[in-house]
Amino acid sequence: MADLFDPAPGAPAAPAHDTAPRPLADRLRPRALAEVIGQPQVLGPDAPLTTMLASGALSSLIFWGPPGVGKTTIARLLASETDLHFVQISAIFTGVQDLKKVFEAAKMRRANGQGTLLFVDEIHRFNKAQQDGFLPHMEDGTILLVGATTENPSFELNAALLSRSQVLVLERLSLADLELLAQRAEKELGRKLPLDGPAREALLEMADGDGRALLNLVEQVAAWKTDAKLDKTALTTRLMKRAAKYDKSGDEHYNLISALHKSVRGSDPDAALYWFTRMLEGGEDPRYLARRITRMAVEDIGLADPQAQTQCLHAWETYERLGSPEGELALAQAVIYLALAPKSNAGYAAYKAARAAARKTGSEPPPKIILNAPTGLMKEQGYGAGYAYDHDAEDAFSGQNYFPDGMKRGVYYLPVERGFERDLKKRVEWFAKLRAKRQDG
């Protein structure tokens, strides 16, 4: 996105006599929403913000998206286009007393006929009480709140705050968006970047969808003294690749493990390996991955391939013995095995169905026929009376009832026609026929 990138709140202004050029990000800041690069789902012809501005009914907003995609700039431009006074604070640096001063100043402005657009960066870092503190000022029109967060608002923001706001999702910038931004930067600098085609593409990829990061990289490259165009090797030698965005406790963590899990479930070993290594590159603990892939073996493969769980446990043990990075290969092999294994969630579904039945009938005792009778009183009560020892029955199967008396027999495990569960399905059906035969007899 075009440079939307403001200095940190409270940062001192540059002295009037400072002749140093302003940062490229500051020089390229859009002066109107129409100049913003990217985000058509928010700023397109029939998009939410465009519709609100056209109708003159701008509501409080929550911008949810990764860093460097324009949250601050769009908020600033909204204030400009609606004649609201723009105030920016950060939840990281703002305390209760600071908020009170902000609200008091907004009330004074309102009394003088001017509204306030309050932009709160990292709004998810405010606690519940602080978030609740915004509500009365939003409701009486003292402020129009625009919050920015990189975390999922559903988990991080109060329901009351969300109900009074519209959540707009801002997306990481595409390579096409970043190329347009790079061209604007070159126009501002008055010269082309000294890069050939593959090197230029590599530069855009290094930004990883972050417009601010791209402009910082462009400034570095533009400062190099070179007459010849640099190739990709020369670029990557001179410029360190930006670390991929990955927060081991935030949305990216859950998004990537979900992508890995679904790739395994979808029997795509290449995609599964990609997400597995993305997490490793982001600094994820391999032990966490070992635990999660073992869970996948139980949940999504189950008895269709009983060896899948064993493969995961062996890979986990191998990692513990070898450590990183050698042990990570064992985990990668387990990921491949899981992706290519026959899939069945029949065991998982049976477990959940049985748990639901157990909660519903949790006080029902076992039938007396299968209870032991160690005392005379218990024998008198009929404990164990009529119990059939299965090993003495034909086919070692008595067909007697093991559910509580009076409870309808549950059918929870429904094996599939894949892998080892084909054999289990035959056994389930065989026992069902024997049971029906014994009960009829």
Side-chain angles (χ1 to χ4, degrees):
M1 184 162 239
D3 193 303
L4 321 166
F5 319 117
D6 296 328
H17 63 272
D18 189 353
T19 59
R22 291 182 296 145
L24 188 57
D26 184 52
R27 289 149 62 189
L28 285 179
R29 180 174 291 117
R31 291 180 288 273
L33 285 170
E35 298 178 10
V36 172
I37 293 174
Q39 314 308 333
Q41 77 287 354
V42 171
L43 296 169
D46 297 316
L49 266 187
T50 308
T51 303
M52 287 185 202
L53 290 172
S55 65
L58 186 63
S59 66
S60 290
L61 303 167
I62 301 296
F63 291 152
W64 173 26
V69 298
K71 297 186 287 292
T72 303
T73 289
I74 294 176
R76 187 182 293 277
L77 293 174
L78 283 175
S80 175
E81 297 199 13
T82 53
D83 295 323
L84 296 173
H85 183 79
F86 182 78
V87 177
Q88 177 180 353
I89 63 174
S90 170
I92 299 174
F93 304 112
T94 305
V96 175
Q97 293 304 316
D98 299 314
L99 283 175
K100 288 182 178 179
K101 293 178 182 178
V102 168
F103 295 143
E104 287 301 320
K107 288 179 181 178
M108 294 178 62
R109 264 184 236 107
R110 186 185 176 205
N112 292 324
Q114 185 179 29
T116 299
L117 188 151
L118 176 60
F119 176 71
V120 184
D121 199 15
E122 304 283 349
I123 191 171
H124 62 276
R125 294 184 181 270
F126 277 136
N127 62 35
K128 183 180 185 300
Q130 290 170 317
Q131 291 181 31
D132 285 343
F134 288 96
L135 302 180
H137 307 291
M138 294 167 64
E139 291 174 345
D140 67 11
T142 299
I143 62 168
L144 180 77
L145 177 69
V146 178
T149 177
T150 57
E151 302 296 328
N152 190 328
S154 302
F155 303 137
E156 303 295 337
L157 299 184
N158 293 351
L161 187 63
L162 284 176
S163 70
R164 292 164 175 80
S165 310
Q166 182 166 348
V167 177
L168 299 180
V169 180
L170 303 187
E171 298 175 351
R172 66 195 301 273
L173 302 185
S174 68
L175 288 178
D177 294 332
L178 294 172
E179 172 59 30
L180 181 55
L181 184 54
Q183 291 175 16
R184 285 192 185 177
E186 289 174 323
K187 184 177 180 180
E188 174 66 26
L189 293 169
R191 60 186 181 280
K192 290 283 187 180
L193 294 175
L195 303 173
D196 66 13
R200 187 182 184 91
E201 186 174 347
L203 183 73
L204 301 182
E205 291 173 347
M206 286 181 183
D208 196 26
D210 185 329
R212 184 189 299 110
L214 175 66
L215 293 176
N216 290 338
L217 293 171
V218 167
E219 278 195 301
Q220 294 182 57
V221 174
W224 294 342
K225 307 298 181 184
T226 179
D227 296 326
K229 286 188 175 182
L230 303 174
D231 60 15
K232 183 176 179 179
T233 301
L235 173 71
T236 54
T237 300
R238 293 185 179 210
L239 201 62
M240 182 176 293
K241 184 181 186 297
R242 178 174 180 262
K245 180 172 71 76
Y246 186 75
D247 180 356
K248 289 189 282 185
S249 62
D251 278 354
E252 283 303 296
H253 167 84
Y254 296 106
N255 289 343
L256 267 61
I257 193 61
S258 176
L260 171 59
H261 195 155
K262 290 181 173 63
S263 298
V264 167
R265 182 182 293 155
S267 301
D268 190 333
D270 299 311
L273 276 178
Y274 171 76
W275 295 115
F276 173 75
T277 53
R278 271 280 299 272
M279 296 187 78
L280 288 177
E281 287 296 319
E284 186 58 75
D285 183 357
R287 292 180 178 85
Y288 169 80
L289 290 167
R291 181 171 67 83
R292 288 302 298 255
I293 64 176
T294 303
R295 181 254 176 101
M296 294 173 202
V298 175
E299 178 178 334
D300 287 297
I301 295 162
L303 293 173
D305 185 351
Q307 287 299 313
Q309 184 176 333
T310 303
Q311 288 282 344
C312 291
L313 293 174
H314 284 173
W316 195 344
E317 182 181 8
T318 300
Y319 174 81
E320 294 294 349
R321 288 176 178 268
L322 294 180
S324 292
E326 294 87 351
E328 292 162 5
L329 177 58
L331 298 177
Q333 290 177 348
V335 167
I336 295 170
Y337 188 97
L338 295 186
L340 296 176
K343 306 296 189 295
S344 172
N345 71 340
Y348 182 49
Y351 167 77
K352 292 195 295 182
R355 284 291 297 266
R359 284 191 293 269
K360 185 177 180 181
T361 61
S363 299
E364 295 286 350
K368 290 182 179 180
I369 194 174
I370 64 171
L371 295 180
N372 292 329
T375 69
L377 177 60
M378 297 172 75
K379 288 180 181 179
E380 291 175 6
Q381 294 295 317
Y383 282 37
Y387 171 67
Y389 187 56
D390 285 87
H391 290 290
D392 293 338
E394 183 182 358
D395 299 314
F397 181 76
S398 66
Q400 59 197 339
N401 178 56
Y402 299 102
F403 280 91
D405 290 329
M407 176 181 170
K408 183 180 179 181
R409 175 179 176 78
V411 178
Y412 310 128
Y413 181 52
L414 300 170
V416 299
E417 285 281 358
R418 290 187 293 277
F420 181 64
E421 278 202 333
R422 285 195 190 96
D423 295 327
L424 297 182
K425 189 172 190 295
K426 292 176 183 177
R427 298 182 197 180
V428 167
E429 293 171 349
W430 184 66
F431 284 126
K433 289 179 182 178
L434 285 182
R435 185 177 297 108
K437 180 180 179 182
R438 301 286 156 82
Q439 290 174 353
D440 290 342

